[in-house]
Amino acid sequence: MTDETHEKTDEKTAIRVVVADDHPMWRDAVARDLADAGFDVVATADDGNAAVNRTRATEPDVLVLDLNLPGLTGPEVCAALAAARVRTRILILSASGDQQDVLDAVKAGALGYLVKSAGRDEFIAAVRATAAGEPVFTPGLAGLVLGEFRRVGSERARNSPQRPVPELTERETEILKYVATGMGYKEIASALFLSHRTVQNHVQNIFGKLHLNNRVELVRFAFDRGIDPVEPT
């Protein structure tokens, strides 16, 4: 299933979610809130190994993942699922707003990061957005992630002045930089004065050339290559 196919899931189909948290009362409350909002909670997990195994077994749309789990930490869970090429999108839900925790999670493959002080409506909206492939961050954290992209990109540009992805065209590289900011296809199309379909086609070409499957992998690729995202307007 491609990223585009994943995003075109029938709106009437309940979003499938796994919840991983080692605190039973919190885990049960999150699962209950999701079920009450119409989500299909297909499994829960109380440690990192169970989070990996149950996510691999059920392949939900979203894994709501605590950062500090026994066995495997949140970033280790993200890395294990990425290595297994599981396409589930991961939303970190953590008590920690520490900058390094956020960056470690995103580098490992998390699509978004929400602190546990978020309200119920904000959390429900964040899970829906994550299922749609849209990065979600607690206010202030998105700028932190973008700043890290920019810092790494600047350092690598100084050390490797050659074009970072020679197999991509100039237009594809430009679109990759927009994707790395977390912008949706319609937003990118508007910024570049292109049609939504044209942007989709370019992204699909990028997937094919780089042998990637979805936007999470694409953002991680951009991060690894030090590709500097565009400045959001």
Side-chain angles (χ1 to χ4, degrees), residues 171-185:
R171 176 63 88 182
E172 288 166 349
T173 301
E174 181 180 29
I175 288 176
L176 175 59
K177 292 180 179 183
Y178 277 90
V179 173
T181 70
M183 292 174 66
Y185 295 153

Side-chain angles (χ1 to χ4, degrees), residues 44-84:
T44 61
D46 59 4
D47 62 46
N49 289 305
V52 172
N53 292 336
R54 291 172 190 171
T55 300
R56 292 187 66 177
T58 60
E59 296 190 357
D61 300 296
V62 178
L63 168 62
V64 176
L65 179 66
D66 186 27
L67 197 66
N68 297 309
L69 292 172
L72 296 175
T73 65
E76 288 171 337
V77 171
C78 293
L81 292 173

